[in-house]
């Protein structure tokens, strides 16, 4: 469709150039010959022949340049094209004049052939340059589009890969918990299996939606928290606060979950007491602001932990790929509370 549109525009451009050359050449030569004292009928015939030949040569040359475009460093080829087409147009005009104009005027008109050839060379070279510049600009635009499409495909592939890293991490943890519960609490294991099924089904539905509403994200996050609460029981306490007027705000799908998973990992592991994890969503200067807070033990965090390593750097990378900014994720520790802050721009 795009190629057809491009050829249509180029065809109209060639048509406008050819018609302009025909009308301009006809009017200019006719007026100059009248001013030089030639008969009006003779002047019109001569001008009509030359302008028709020039229009034909312009069309042929422009069509040929669609298939071959000299590069900017090959300007000498443009001059050769102009010389060849000027010679063809001059000789063709002379051939037609010998049949359509009285023979007693031919010798007089032959005296003007060098000047006609020079004018034809200038006009045809100018037309060639216009076509070449158009073709080069069109090629540059197409190259930029292909480069942009290639970059978009690579970005989508990387985003997909980053999102898929989350699935095995969470899935393995949940399956391990289900296995542990089968012997001691089969009812909870069955319940957790159903919850995991609902969660994964919701994840699959979001595969094609890169950007979703905050309400959808929080609903999906709640499924994840329900599973984690089965794993950790009374030790995990979570609270989500968000005003309803920002439920329609947009954000990347499943961007909050890895931050909450990170909070659970660093807040509950090696801890036996109840841990509170707070999730706050608010609007701030045209952005969606999301804060996840959890207790943070500096001494415990210095000890290495096992895991797949789906960390904050992956979230940072995903945000950069989507928004082209590196300042959308911020972390800080204050009074043994670790806080991750997401800033999601809202575009109209």
């Amino acid at each position: 469709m795009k190629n057809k549109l491009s050829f249509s525009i180029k065809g109209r451009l060639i048509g406008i150039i050819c018609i302009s050359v025909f009308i301009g050449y006809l009017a200019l030569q006719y007026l100059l010959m009248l001013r030089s004292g030639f008969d009006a009928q003779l002047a019109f015939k001569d001008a009509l022949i030359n302008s028709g030949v020039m229009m034909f040569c312009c069309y042929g040359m422009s069509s040929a340049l669609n298939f071959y475009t000299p590069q900017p460093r090959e300007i000498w080829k443009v001059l050769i094209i102009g010389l060849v087409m000027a010679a063809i147009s001059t000789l063709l005009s002379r051939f037609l004049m010998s049949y359509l104009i009285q023979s007693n005027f031919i010798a007089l008109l032959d005296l003007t052939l060098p000047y006609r050839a020079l004018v034809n060379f200038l006009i045809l070279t100018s037309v060639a340059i216009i076509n070449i510049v158009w073709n080069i600009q069109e090629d540059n635009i197409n190259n930029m589009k292909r480069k942009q499409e290639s970059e978009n495909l690579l970005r989508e592939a990387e985003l997909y890969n980053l999102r898929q890293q989350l699935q095995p991490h969470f899935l393995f943890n949940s399956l391990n918990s289900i296995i542990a519960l089968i012997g001691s609490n089969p009812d909870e294991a069955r319940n957790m299996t159903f919850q995991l099924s609902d969660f994964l089904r919701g994840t699959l539905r979001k595969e094609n939606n890169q950007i979703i509403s905050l309400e959808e994200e929080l609903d999906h996050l709640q499924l994840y928290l329900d599973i984690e609460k089965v794993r950790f029981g009374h030790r995990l306490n979570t609270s989500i606060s968000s005003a309803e007027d920002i439920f329609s705000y947009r954000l990347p799908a499943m961007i909050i979950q890895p931050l909450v998973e990170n909070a659970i990992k660093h807040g509950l592991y090696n801890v036996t007491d109840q841990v509170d994890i707070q999730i706050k969503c608010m609007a701030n200067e045209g952005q969606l602001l999301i804060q996840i807070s959890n207790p943070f033990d500096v001494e415990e965090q210095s000890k290495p932990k096992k895991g797949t390593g789906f960390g904050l750097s992956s979230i940072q990378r995903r945000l950069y790929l989507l928004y082209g900014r590196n300042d959308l994720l911020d972390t800080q520790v204050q009074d043994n509370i670790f806080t991750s802050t997401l800033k999601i721009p809202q575009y109209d």
Side-chain angles (χ1 to χ4, degrees):
M1 183 66 180
K2 290 181 180 179
N3 290 335
K4 290 182 179 179
L5 181 61
S6 177
F7 278 117
S8 176
I9 295 174
K10 185 65 181 297
R12 285 198 292 268
L13 173 67
I14 293 174
I16 291 172
I17 290 175
C18 293
I19 293 173
S20 299
V21 168
F22 176 80
I23 295 174
Y25 202 102
L26 176 66
L28 182 61
Q29 184 177 345
Y30 179 68
L31 292 174
L32 287 175
M33 292 186 71
L34 284 180
R35 186 176 179 182
S36 300
F38 284 91
D39 177 71
Q41 186 177 6
L42 174 66
F44 181 77
K45 282 185 178 181
D46 188 21
L48 185 63
I49 292 171
N50 280 282
S51 58
V53 169
M54 282 294 291
M55 181 177 69
F56 172 77
C57 290
C58 284
Y59 180 80
M61 182 180 63
S62 299
S63 299
L65 287 173
N66 282 330
F67 302 96
Y68 172 72
T69 301
Q71 298 302 310
R73 62 180 179 276
E74 300 174 334
I75 189 66
W76 57 273
K77 292 184 178 180
V78 181
L79 298 178
I80 291 177
I81 292 172
L83 284 172
V84 171
M85 295 305 298
I88 292 173
S89 62
T90 304
L91 293 175
L92 184 58
S93 296
R94 174 65 179 78
F95 175 77
L96 293 174
M97 284 190 298
S98 64
Y99 286 97
L100 300 176
I101 294 178
Q102 297 177 8
S103 58
N104 56 325
F105 290 107
I106 295 298
L108 181 61
L109 294 177
D110 283 346
L111 297 175
T112 64
L113 287 181
Y115 303 101
R116 296 172 189 246
L118 178 60
V119 172
N120 290 359
F121 168 74
L122 294 175
I123 293 175
L124 289 167
T125 302
S126 299
V127 172
I129 291 174
I130 292 173
N131 278 273
I132 290 170
V133 170
W134 177 280
N135 290 338
I136 291 175
Q137 183 181 15
E138 196 173 52
D139 288 342
N140 289 336
I141 292 174
N142 290 334
N143 289 335
M144 289 178 62
K145 287 181 178 179
R146 284 194 296 268
K147 182 180 178 182
Q148 185 65 41
E149 289 174 358
S150 176
E151 290 176 350
N152 288 339
L153 289 174
L154 289 173
R155 187 185 68 173
E156 292 297 327
E158 187 173 355
L159 282 170
Y160 179 79
N161 183 54
L162 288 171
R163 287 182 60 186
Q164 292 308 303
Q165 291 181 44
L166 174 65
Q167 304 306 327
H169 187 195
F170 169 68
L171 182 59
F172 293 151
N173 287 339
S174 299
L175 291 175
N176 287 334
S177 299
I178 291 173
I179 292 171
L181 287 171
I182 287 175
S184 60
N185 195 336
D187 290 337
E188 284 293 344
R190 186 183 302 107
N191 183 46
M192 189 172 180
T193 302
F194 290 143
Q195 291 173 332
L196 179 61
S197 175
D198 291 338
F199 176 83
L200 293 178
R201 190 179 296 111
T203 301
L204 292 174
R205 284 198 297 266
K206 289 178 173 57
E207 285 298 326
N208 295 325
N209 296 328
Q210 196 64 251
I211 305 296
I212 62 175
S213 68
L214 175 62
E215 184 176 17
E216 292 177 275
E217 178 74 357
L218 292 181
D219 288 342
H220 194 67
L221 178 64
Q222 190 60 55
L223 290 173
Y224 165 75
L225 291 174
D226 290 341
I227 295 172
E228 293 295 74
K229 286 177 181 179
V230 175
R231 290 180 59 200
F232 295 103
H234 69 280
R235 294 171 51 212
L236 175 61
N237 184 43
T238 61
S239 64
I240 302 176
S241 60
S242 175
E244 292 186 3
D245 57 352
I246 64 171
F247 277 172
S248 60
Y249 279 30
R250 313 293 288 178
L251 75 166
M254 297 177 64
I255 196 71
I256 303 178
Q257 181 189 329
L259 291 174
V260 175
E261 185 173 358
N262 187 70
I264 292 174
K265 174 182 176 182
H266 295 288
L268 271 82
Y269 289 9
N270 300 322
V271 175
T272 57
D273 296 333
Q274 177 175 302
V275 172
D276 294 326
I277 295 178
Q278 296 183 350
I279 304 161
K280 298 179 180 178
C281 306
M282 63 200 81
N284 181 43
E285 297 179 353
Q287 293 181 325
L288 174 61
L289 205 64
I290 302 170
Q291 292 182 336
I292 298 98
S293 302
N294 62 276
F296 182 84
D297 191 329
V298 178
E299 294 181 0
E300 286 294 336
Q301 301 313 312
S302 63
K303 302 176 182 179
K305 291 183 173 64
K306 296 181 180 180
T308 60
F310 186 90
L312 300 178
S313 61
S314 297
I315 304 169
Q316 183 86 18
R317 178 62 178 166
R318 187 179 174 197
L319 290 170
Y320 175 77
L321 289 171
L322 287 170
Y323 299 103
R325 292 173 55 180
N326 285 315
D327 61 340
L328 299 179
L329 175 62
D330 179 63
T331 59
Q332 60 179 353
V333 180
Q334 186 176 7
D335 298 330
N336 289 336
I337 298 295
F338 185 88
T339 303
S340 302
T341 303
L342 274 175
K343 291 178 287 186
I344 309 296
Q346 300 298 303
Y347 301 116
D348 296 332

